[in-house]
Amino acid sequence: MAKEKKPYPVLYVLSTRGSLFRNGSVNPTLHFGVVTDEARMKEDPEYAAYMDEMINKEIPQAIINKFVVSQPLYLTNDKIPFLLFKSNIDPYSLKEFCKAILQEISFHTGVRHSGVYGLDKTLLLEMNKNPGLLGSMHLSNKGEKLTRSEAMKDFSQPLEFEGDPMDQGIMCPFDIWKEEKRREALKEQQKSDDEEEIVLW
């Protein structure tokens, strides 16, 4: 008797147009997140802004750049980030790179950070559009939306790095980021001052 296939959890997009991914395709999918220091997030606005930018912009871009040959696609469902890979992703290298990110962000912030990590296959579907003939082959194994299913637990396993925090040269250091933000704020303030209306009495 044939073994029943496990349902594929589903990720939804408005459209796959312009991407290499087909509506109804099954793809290796990564969820990786950094666990922030919640107390510091409330008390330190610069840390909160830095972590938000790293988690939502720099870290996904760093993974895309590192594994560009696997043709990654970044998307979010329910504001939770995921990366889909078209082909040739090495699970070991991917996990080690995510550990290196944790190691570096811990170095830059002075606080040891852990993460959540999961890599498995998901079904990609366009909203309100049926897949074509090839894509429809996987619909019999369609599961629930990933972010609202039990499968999300498998994509949120604890991840720790070994050794001491270390600069890996992957992302913008916290000190440099703070200096850049202060410079931008000063530039905006000067621009605002220059544009102030001059009133003649």
Side-chain angles (χ1 to χ4, degrees), residues 28 67 69-71 85-91:
F67 298 95
V69 294
S70 299
Q71 301 167 310
F85 298 94
K86 189 72 178 169
S87 61
N88 303 324
I89 189 65
D90 176 13

Side-chain angles (χ1 to χ4, degrees), residues 15 63 77 105 148 183 186:
S15 174
I63 297 172
N77 270 202
I105 215 159
R148 302 179 187 180
R183 199 160 41 238
L186 182 61

Side-chain angles (χ1 to χ4, degrees), residues 111-131:
V111 176
R112 193 176 184 94
H113 287 80
S114 60
V116 291
Y117 178 95
L119 179 68
D120 206 345
K121 289 184 176 180
T122 64
L123 175 63
L124 181 67
L125 291 177
E126 289 187 40
M127 297 174 69
N128 305 316
K129 183 178 179 182
N130 292 325

Side-chain angles (χ1 to χ4, degrees), residues 5-193:
K5 285 186 178 180
K6 184 176 75 170
Y8 294 116
V10 180
L11 289 174
Y12 289 95
V13 290
L14 292 175
S15 174
T16 56
R17 185 176 296 175
S19 78
L20 297 170
F21 293 80
R22 190 180 65 246
N23 185 18
S25 61
V26 172
N27 308 283
T29 302
L30 168 72
H31 170 60
F32 170 60
V34 179
V35 179
T36 58
D37 182 331
E38 288 304 313
R40 190 173 174 186
M41 289 287 283
K42 294 174 183 175
E43 297 165 2
D44 185 347
E46 285 185 315
Y47 170 81
Y50 176 74
M51 293 301 290
D52 181 68
E53 189 168 320
M54 294 303 106
I55 290 167
N56 294 304
K57 292 180 181 178
E58 282 226 10
I59 290 174
Q61 192 58 54
I63 297 172
I64 288 169
N65 293 344
K66 177 71 174 177
F67 298 95
V68 66
V69 294
S70 299
Q71 301 167 310
L73 173 71
Y74 175 73
L75 60 86
T76 62
N77 270 202
D78 295 325
K79 298 183 179 180
I80 300 172
F82 297 93
L83 278 163
L84 276 62
F85 298 94
K86 189 72 178 169
S87 61
N88 303 324
I89 189 65
D90 176 13
Y92 177 79
S93 297
L94 181 60
K95 194 169 189 177
E96 289 303 304
F97 188 69
C98 290
K99 287 181 182 180
I101 290 172
L102 292 175
Q103 196 170 24
E104 177 163 326
I105 215 159
S106 300
F107 177 84
H108 290 319
T109 59
V111 176
R112 193 176 184 94
H113 287 80
S114 60
V116 291
Y117 178 95
L119 179 68
D120 206 345
K121 289 184 176 180
T122 64
L123 175 63
L124 181 67
L125 291 177
E126 289 187 40
M127 297 174 69
N128 305 316
K129 183 178 179 182
N130 292 325
L133 183 62
L134 285 174
S136 62
M137 293 169 56
H138 298 297
L139 290 181
S140 59
N141 289 320
K142 176 186 172 185
E144 299 176 73
K145 184 178 183 181
L146 173 54
T147 53
R148 302 179 187 180
S149 72
E150 285 295 308
M152 193 62 204
K153 292 179 181 176
D154 295 330
F155 282 84
S156 304
Q157 296 298 308
L159 185 68
E160 305 271 355
F161 66 89
E162 297 86 20
D164 296 327
M166 186 183 301
D167 186 354
Q168 302 278 1
I170 299 169
M171 63 195 71
C172 181
F174 192 22
D175 288 341
I176 293 174
W177 179 91
K178 284 190 285 189
E179 187 58 39
E180 285 179 354
K181 295 300 177 184
R182 287 167 189 160
R183 199 160 41 238
E184 287 172 11
L186 182 61
K187 191 175 180 180
E188 282 298 312
Q189 182 61 48
Q190 289 171 341
K191 183 180 177 183
S192 177
D193 291 344

